[in-house]
Every structure is written in C-alpha cells, then in structure tokens.
Amino acid sequence: MNRVQTSQYLNNFFDNKIILITGGCGFIGCNLIRRLLKTTNSKIYNLDKLTYASDSYGINDIVKTFKDQESERYQLLKIDLANKDLVNSSIQHIKPDYIFHLAAESHVDRSIETPEIFLSSNVIGTFNLLEATRSYHSTLSGSKRESFRFHHISTDEVFGSLGETGYFSEKSPYSPRSPYSASKASSDHFVNAWHHTYAMPTLITNCSNNYGPYQ
C-alpha cells in the first residue's frame, strides 16, 4: 500500500471504536487524539494525571468546534496509573476496543534527579494497566476479543547509545543508560511477558525523537 492507502486503512480500522489512550495530554498523545477525532467516529477516553508536561490545548482546539453530540466522543479522566483500583475500575467502565499506552515520565535529566517517580509511573503504572487490561480482556468474546489490542509506545533509548553509524531494529539488544530508559525497558519486558504468559494481544513500538505541532 502507498501512503494514502495506508492512511485510509488505518482510519477505517480505528473507526467506530472505543479507544483508551493513556497520557493523551502529552505531545504524542495529543497529536494521536487530534488525528482520531478528525478522521474517525470513534469515542476517545484520555487517561492522564495532568502533570507539568500535560497540555490539552491541541485537543480542546478541535473539541470546541464539535456540536453537543459530537463533544461526547472525547472524555478526559484525571487518573494516575499508580492507583491500581482506579485504573481497574476505569477499564471495566470504558470497555475499550483498543488501548494506546503512552503515559510515561520521559525527561532523562529528571530521571537522574528523582528516579523513584519514573519507577512509579513507567513500571508500576504499566503493571497496573496490564493487570486491569488482562482482567477485562478475559471477559471478552467473539469479534471484540479477536480485534482487541494493547499498544505500548516505548522509546529507542531502551537500546542504548547508537554512535555515528549503524541503526537500531526490533532485534537490537536492550542496553538502557539512564533511570528513564531503564524504566521504559522494564515496562517493555512486562508487556512482552504478559503477551507470552497470558496471551494478551500486545504491540510494542519504539519511537525515535518526535517533533511537530503542539510540542
């Protein structure tokens, strides 16, 4: 497929779904939600604990143009993934068709100063989300179970430092070099373990540096 065909395929795939996005007020999450709101009819739930790095402007810029019924397609829930009970009840209430897990502490220098926050958000938070999702996924059947996916968005920093030549791939060995990248590497391993141990339908993507509107 060419770029246009791929874009149309993805729009159709995510149309008329219930989509849960964690960390949707971050830079990547904001652009993902904007894309889904503009190109699909899906209902979007944004779970974000609203920290210093959160910004809803880019999303609200679209939502404010919606009519009353359309505005119900988007809902922001202030939730810290470290709160296990709240995460579990939210998943059971939302009943998502697809989960994008973007929520993470991601500032390398801050991870060096206060690594415990990164352990809580990136490792414990991911664990709580996986367990809540596993419990929910076990109740699904038919086409809803077949099409469900848990998409974990990670970083290329789990592979370490590249140097002037070469490239990383999904087969590159993990070699995290900071508390931030170590916490993301750990969360990757948890997602992979839940896939193999509990047959959860998971995906992991390792982004490189991202930039663009609303950054």
Side-chain angles (χ1 to χ4, degrees):
M1 289 188 291
N2 60 36
R3 185 174 180 179
V4 174
Q5 290 172 323
T6 300
S7 179
Q8 187 59 52
Y9 169 80
L10 291 174
N11 293 344
N12 292 339
F13 181 84
F14 290 116
D15 207 19
N16 296 310
K17 298 287 197 308
I18 299 174
I19 301 175
L20 184 152
I21 298 172
T22 70
C25 291
F27 164 59
I28 302 175
C30 167
N31 279 278
L32 173 59
I33 290 175
R34 283 175 55 85
R35 166 72 178 261
L36 292 170
L37 288 175
K38 289 194 295 184
T39 62
T40 75
N41 292 317
S42 292
K43 188 165 185 177
I44 312 299
Y45 287 89
N46 177 8
L47 272 60
D48 198 299
K49 67 177 181 179
L50 300 177
T51 66
Y52 74 97
S54 301
D55 187 355
S56 297
Y57 175 80
I59 300 170
N60 294 336
D61 193 41
I62 289 182
V63 173
K64 70 182 182 182
T65 67
F66 286 171
K67 298 178 181 179
D68 290 342
Q69 188 173 0
E70 286 182 310
S71 64
E72 296 177 1
R73 289 181 50 215
Y74 173 74
Q75 187 171 351
L76 171 62
L77 302 176
K78 185 178 180 181
I79 292 176
D80 186 343
L81 296 184
N83 188 325
K84 184 176 182 178
D85 291 337
L86 192 55
V87 171
N88 187 64
S89 62
S90 297
I91 297 290
Q92 295 295 334
H93 169 71
I94 294 170
K95 295 178 170 51
D97 296 303
Y98 205 101
I99 294 177
F100 286 97
H101 178 35
L102 294 110
E105 294 285 343
S106 60
H107 197 291
V108 175
D109 290 342
R110 285 173 59 89
S111 80
I112 296 171
E113 296 171 0
T114 54
E116 186 175 355
I117 296 174
F118 288 71
L119 175 67
S120 176
S121 293
N122 300 353
V123 182
I124 302 302
T126 298
F127 169 79
N128 289 341
L129 185 63
L130 283 168
E131 279 292 84
T133 302
R134 179 166 72 95
S135 176
Y136 163 69
H137 182 251
S138 68
T139 68
L140 301 180
S141 60
S143 61
K144 192 172 180 74
R145 181 180 179 88
E146 181 68 24
S147 62
F148 178 84
R149 295 291 184 275
F150 180 103
H151 187 165
H152 175 64
I153 289 79
S154 186
T155 171
D156 65 340
E157 293 195 37
V158 299
F159 303 124
S161 181
L162 186 60
E164 296 182 2
T165 61
Y167 56 88
F168 291 132
S169 76
E170 292 84 353
K171 296 181 180 180
S172 297
Y174 275 59
S175 182
R177 306 292 178 88
S178 69
Y180 160 61
S181 57
S183 68
K184 288 298 290 183
S186 178
S187 67
D188 286 9
H189 292 321
F190 271 97
V191 173
N192 193 44
W194 259 239
H195 171 71
H196 289 285
T197 304
Y198 304 111
M200 268 185 50
T202 64
L203 301 168
I204 299 176
T205 50
N206 299 90
C207 300
S208 186
N209 293 337
N210 295 276
Y211 64 95
Y214 304 99
Q215 190 166 25

